[in-house]
Amino acid sequence: MQETNDKGMLIRGRFTQRLARVMERINASIGFDQKMAMQDIAGSLAHAEMLAGQHIISAEDFAAIRGGLEQIREEISEGHFEFSVALEDIHMNIESRLNELIGAPAGRLHTARSRNDQVATSFRLWVRDAHDRALELIKELIGELLELAERNSSTIMPGFTHLQSAQPITFGHHLMAYVEMFGRDYTRLRDSRARMNESPLGAAALAGTSFPIDRAFSAKALGFAKPMHNSMDAVSDRDFAIEYLAAASLAMTHLSRLAEEIVLWMSPQFRFVQLSDAWTTGSSIMPQKRNPDAAELIRGKTGRVTGSLLGLLTVMKALPLTFSKDMQEDKEHTFDAAETLELCLEAMTGMIGDLTPVPERMLAAAGTSHATATDLADWLTRELGMPFREAHHVTGRLVRLADELNCSLDGLPLKAMREVHSQITEAVYTVLSVESSVKSRNSLGGTSPEQVRGEVARWRAHLQLLTSQVNPVY
Ligand code: ARG
């Protein structure tokens, strides 16, 4: 990147001295806000077209501005554009280049506009694009989870509370819990996208403008639903980025929990699942290791995103209206969070696609620790008419007996069970296997294979409906 030169004097009409070097460094945002180049050009094109339509600039000036901006767009995408720190930010870099390319008409582009509404517009467009990318990636992740859940609708594994075996469940049901979570992340992002989709352009510095602009025109040209109604709010709030960060933090929290489970399931003590060589790393010293690094990194990177949320909330919390330079600190938090979220969503989708369950390990673990004790208590309640509390107590005694005899609940002889409660019959064994346990939990939202298959089908249709409603603009 080019260091100091006279370009820095572009907007320094009343100043006679140039910026101190350190002042230039602390002031410049070009090192990161060049990411918004395409959005800034889109904003300028819409603004210039509106100015021409309103006869605020001539058609010839508009044609020159458009030609110049299109050339700059090409220079940037091909990597020939020279960014300059002295020009502070992406807005000034582009305007200065436009001036080099087309001369006088470039100076008319900034009519009825300030960098305050300009940056608010560019950043909003960028955050809207980040919403669209995340939505697409979440959709792909959900699709991959549905495939795995469908193939494992009757794969039995232990369900945990307190990380203690609680009741047998199906692996498909476990995965579908994440489909629900990521489904909410999807609609959360859709909600915030809809809320943020209003145009700040034309708010000018903070109070509007005396030029006869048409804000509805530029809003429409940029795919915004409408112009924002208050010029001060338009240039000074960043709640749209905070909402994005909040939604991203929740999505990362869900990713992190799933990542943690993959780490657990991959450990030799569990060995519930396997990942191929493509998704594991070895150890430099212990040849037997297969480490699920991507899962660990997803878990670890979650802190960056939640940190960004807290960072931007803190930047904004005591700022008086309207613009303060503090707000330039909105971008790095948001850019880093978006990059992290997108990488982690892709990595999780890849891992889920790669993951192979080890059903015999899951089944063996599901049958330990008297996981069907609740089924036994339910049977006593249902078949013998016992109050559930009493059934719970009787079951507790049977569990203790099984421990004493060192067998599972379905390994207890009927005679031994009858000594605990005389009315227990042979029929009790039908509910004591893990298979019958999961099959019987067929209540809405329950773990039975039938429920899981139904949910997979429902989600497929639901996802199609949800995603057909998104309307990305460029
Ligand atoms: N680079 C600035 C930002 O990122 C642009 C806005 C500058 N506006 C101003 N009045 N200094 O927020």
Side-chain angles (χ1 to χ4, degrees):
M1 188 176 306
Q2 199 169 318
E3 277 292 325
T4 333
N5 62 26
D6 335 327
K7 285 177 172 177
M9 299 304 281
L10 190 76
I11 54 164
R12 290 178 63 77
R14 61 170 288 211
F15 300 88
T16 51
Q17 273 186 304
R18 61 169 321 112
L19 287 182
R21 282 212 167 234
V22 177
M23 173 58 191
E24 199 170 83
R25 268 175 54 211
I26 195 171
N27 201 37
S29 52
I30 187 62
F32 48 87
D33 68 12
Q34 50 184 275
K35 275 195 164 57
M36 308 192 303
M38 294 304 142
Q39 289 80 1
D40 194 63
I41 290 171
S44 289
L45 283 170
H47 182 65
E49 189 178 354
M50 180 281 291
L51 291 176
Q54 296 298 102
H55 307 291
I56 300 169
I57 64 172
S58 68
E60 296 73 47
D61 283 347
F62 170 53
I65 290 170
R66 184 170 57 193
L69 287 172
E70 280 166 358
Q71 179 172 338
I72 294 170
R73 179 150 63 190
E74 224 170 273
E75 289 174 0
I76 295 176
S77 30
E78 283 167 13
H80 310 142
F81 192 94
E82 205 169 316
F83 295 102
S84 153
V85 176
L87 287 168
E88 197 179 319
D89 59 23
I90 186 63
H91 321 292
M92 308 281 290
N93 268 267
I94 290 175
E95 194 183 325
S96 159
R97 178 68 184 140
L98 187 65
N99 193 46
E100 277 174 13
L101 288 173
I102 66 168
R108 300 196 187 277
L109 171 60
H110 215 53
T111 314
R113 183 176 79 168
S114 147
R115 256 193 305 162
N116 294 349
D117 61 335
Q118 188 180 357
V119 69
T121 304
S122 306
F123 190 42
R124 241 173 223 265
L125 290 174
W126 196 94
V127 175
R128 192 177 69 187
D129 287 345
H131 276 80
D132 291 338
R133 289 193 300 272
L135 285 167
E136 189 55 34
L137 292 170
I138 292 174
K139 187 183 102 183
E140 283 167 24
L141 173 58
I142 291 177
E144 207 61 72
L145 284 165
L146 289 175
E147 293 287 311
L148 190 61
E150 186 169 49
R151 287 199 298 275
N152 291 281
S153 59
S154 28
T155 306
I156 291 173
M157 70 181 280
F160 299 92
T161 61
H162 312 268
L163 199 55
Q164 308 277 328
S165 283
Q167 291 174 348
I169 56 162
T170 50
F171 186 40
H173 192 53
H174 196 128
L175 295 167
M176 290 304 289
Y178 284 100
V179 167
E180 292 290 330
M181 292 178 238
F182 293 123
R184 284 192 296 275
D185 291 327
Y186 189 93
T187 49
R188 204 173 347 263
L189 280 163
R190 279 273 304 275
D191 291 349
S192 73
R193 187 196 192 280
R195 203 164 14 259
M196 70 166 290
N197 199 27
E198 297 182 352
S199 175
L201 194 57
L206 75 160
T209 174
S210 56
F211 288 97
I213 58 171
D214 181 352
R215 293 191 58 208
F217 177 91
S218 51
K220 187 156 178 258
L222 294 167
F224 287 119
K226 59 175 180 153
M228 292 177 76
H229 282 282
N230 183 294
S231 60
M232 297 178 74
D233 174 46
V235 296
S236 82
D237 208 349
R238 294 293 183 267
D239 58 357
F240 61 91
I242 294 173
E243 270 200 77
Y244 169 78
L245 290 172
S249 297
L250 274 167
M252 284 300 298
T253 302
H254 293 148
L255 284 169
S256 182
R257 295 185 73 178
L258 179 52
E260 163 65 6
E261 301 210 284
I262 292 174
V263 172
L264 275 176
W265 296 338
M266 278 287 288
S267 75
Q269 285 71 18
F270 275 78
R271 212 162 43 79
F272 282 5
V273 299
Q274 277 174 336
L275 287 173
S276 77
D277 292 358
W279 288 96
T280 45
T281 62
S283 151
S284 56
I285 178 167
M286 298 164 283
Q288 84 283 13
K289 298 280 297 267
R290 236 180 203 296
N291 300 326
D293 289 28
E296 294 163 60
L297 283 163
I298 290 171
R299 197 175 56 184
K301 282 176 188 290
T302 302
R304 297 171 74 114
V305 180
T306 50
S308 292
L309 169 63
L310 208 57
L312 186 51
L313 281 167
T314 311
V315 168
M316 298 305 295
K317 74 169 270 295
L319 290 186
L321 298 185
T322 52
F323 183 85
S324 292
K325 199 65 177 255
D326 313 44
M327 286 159 67
Q328 183 165 286
E329 291 290 310
D330 55 4
K331 289 172 207 67
E332 281 170 292
H333 287 302
T334 311
F335 294 164
D336 185 76
E339 199 177 309
T340 306
L341 174 67
E342 289 160 27
L343 177 62
C344 292
L345 283 167
E346 281 189 66
M348 185 55 87
T349 305
M351 268 193 296
I352 295 297
D354 185 83
L355 196 133
T356 322
V358 187
E360 57 287 7
R361 292 281 302 177
M362 290 181 171
L363 182 65
T368 58
S369 310
H370 311 305
T372 54
T374 319
D375 300 85
L376 174 53
D378 286 350
W379 186 87
L380 294 170
T381 305
R382 198 173 49 240
E383 303 299 322
L384 305 185
M386 241 181 235
F388 183 78
R389 281 287 159 230
E390 190 189 334
H392 184 276
H393 181 73
V394 171
T395 304
R397 288 174 59 199
L398 289 164
V399 164
R400 196 167 37 175
L401 184 63
D403 279 342
E404 277 163 23
L405 300 177
N406 199 18
C407 65
S408 60
L409 279 176
D410 61 352
L412 275 177
L414 186 59
K415 190 161 162 291
M417 288 207 221
R418 284 193 149 149
E419 272 160 30
V420 173
H421 197 282
S422 61
Q423 285 170 280
I424 296 178
T425 66
E426 186 75 37
V428 76
Y429 291 104
T430 60
V431 301
L432 294 182
S433 77
V434 288
E435 287 83 0
S436 59
S437 169
V438 296
K439 208 164 155 222
S440 72
R441 291 202 155 71
N442 200 27
S443 53
L444 179 86
T447 196
S448 73
E450 187 186 330
Q451 285 292 322
V452 174
R453 283 192 295 269
E455 281 302 295
V456 170
R458 186 182 70 80
W459 260 103
R460 287 218 165 100
H462 186 51
L463 200 60
Q464 193 136 43
L465 191 75
L466 271 180
T467 53
S468 65
Q469 292 160 0
V470 184
N471 178 27
V473 176
Y474 63 88

